[in-house]
Amino acid sequence: MSPFRATPPITANWEHFEFTVDDGVATVTLDRPEKLNALTFDIYADLRDLLAELPHRGDVRVLVITGRGRGFCSGGDVEEIIGELQKMESAELLEFTRMTGAVVKALRECPIPVIAAVNGVAAGAGSVIALASDFRLLASSAKFAFLFTKVGLAGADMGSAYLLPRLVGLGRATELLMLGDKIDAARAEAIGLASQVVDDSVLASTASALARRLADGPALAYGTTKVLLTRELDMDLGSSIELEAITQALLMTTKDHGEFYAAWAAGRSPQWTGR
């Protein structure tokens, strides 16, 4: 565990989704298959809090997010969230929307690679959770739908209008966020929204193989790369080059960089420690 963790203990059990850690690979499985893993207030809150804890656990090098059953995540539960929102006043509504945005912010700022294994529909908030992940592995049956306008809300929600144009371009992002139509896995791959599309039968094993590769690799280098990708989105070139120069000079002092040279000199594969 990180020596910089404050008084509250690391959470042992998460009530509102399944959470496991196996040899550096953490997995969140959204577990409401009867509702295509629709989100509730509690699931949002637990996701936000889990993502804040992960860097401090000391036993996690990569996170996989997936859904149980035939859906990844169908967005906010109509009864348990949208119905309840009708009863709230402005201050409570703002507290809720800030919480949902905090999940996406935590996904991007958590210095751990995140893989979304999209095993079916990813709609509304589910599509943004996948969007905010570092890798999006899609089953061939998967579909995306940024359907916020279809419920009378702005298509820009939870950071989608920031992240999506940077991934697929402004024109396609405008189409997806404004119209809210479903797109299948093949089109998602064609426009750059999917990292890879695989047969449904091998999605879990493909995600597991990528997670294993990341967990066994130079974790500090991976995490730093993610942080720089996020931070440099709004930097000018000169600032980015300076930040990268400082970062590389720092990483040149790490055990992993020294291990690469020692392994190269000995003609063997590096044994990464993430230090």
Side-chain angles (χ1 to χ4, degrees):
M1 186 182 300
S2 167
F4 305 112
R5 176 70 179 174
T7 303
I10 295 293
T11 305
N13 297 297
W14 296 90
E15 181 180 350
H16 302 291
F17 44 70
E18 182 181 303
F19 176 73
T20 61
V21 179
D22 181 17
D23 194 17
V25 178
T27 303
V28 166
T29 304
L30 300 175
D31 196 15
R32 304 181 76 212
E34 73 284 357
K35 291 199 171 185
L36 295 178
N37 301 312
L39 301 171
T40 64
F41 294 126
D42 289 333
I43 295 172
Y44 272 120
D46 272 2
L47 282 173
R48 175 200 60 197
D49 296 346
L50 170 66
L51 289 162
E53 283 192 6
L54 281 183
H56 302 286
R57 289 180 56 100
D59 62 347
V60 174
R61 292 188 170 195
V62 59
L63 170 66
V64 178
I65 303 176
T66 193
R68 191 173 307 285
R70 59 189 180 88
F72 175 74
C73 176
S74 59
D77 189 294
V78 175
E79 294 177 345
E80 296 193 37
I81 287 187
I82 297 179
E84 291 301 311
L85 294 178
Q86 308 302 306
K87 308 169 188 177
M88 295 183 184
E89 297 185 355
S90 297
E92 293 174 295
L93 294 171
L94 182 57
E95 185 177 2
F96 166 69
T97 54
R98 283 176 170 163
M99 177 177 69
T100 65
V103 173
V104 171
K105 186 171 183 287
L107 278 167
R108 293 309 313 146
E109 294 189 348
C110 180
I112 293 171
V114 179
I115 301 167
V118 183
N119 55 304
V121 65
S127 63
V128 186
I129 288 172
L131 171 65
S133 300
D134 301 297
F135 300 90
R136 285 160 298 283
L137 304 183
L138 272 59
S140 57
S141 64
K143 291 180 173 60
F144 275 95
F146 297 87
L147 46 65
F148 303 108
T149 60
K150 291 187 178 291
V151 299
L153 298 174
D157 192 19
M158 297 172 62
S160 59
Y162 179 89
L163 294 172
L164 192 58
R166 288 164 167 79
L167 195 64
V168 304
L170 178 60
R172 290 191 177 101
T174 299
E175 173 196 345
L176 296 179
L177 295 182
M178 196 170 291
L179 299 181
D181 293 337
K182 287 183 181 179
I183 64 167
D184 61 20
R187 181 153 191 249
E189 185 175 35
I191 65 176
L193 183 53
S195 306
Q196 185 180 359
V197 175
V198 299
D199 289 341
D200 289 47
S201 61
V202 299
L203 176 66
S205 61
T206 303
S208 179
L210 177 58
R212 184 77 268 138
R213 176 180 175 181
L214 291 166
D216 290 344
L220 184 59
Y222 290 153
T224 303
T225 301
K226 174 176 179 174
V227 169
L228 292 185
L229 283 167
T230 299
R231 295 302 178 200
E232 291 183 41
L233 284 173
D234 300 311
M235 285 185 180
D236 59 69
L237 178 60
S239 299
S240 293
I241 288 174
E242 179 64 11
L243 178 59
E244 291 180 8
I246 293 170
T247 302
Q248 289 293 57
L250 177 63
L251 290 184
M252 286 172 185
T253 69
T254 62
K255 292 181 179 179
D256 272 354
H257 185 60
E259 166 62 11
F260 159 76
Y261 185 75
W264 175 82
R268 59 174 175 81
S269 298
Q271 300 298 310
W272 307 114
T273 62
R275 297 289 185 267

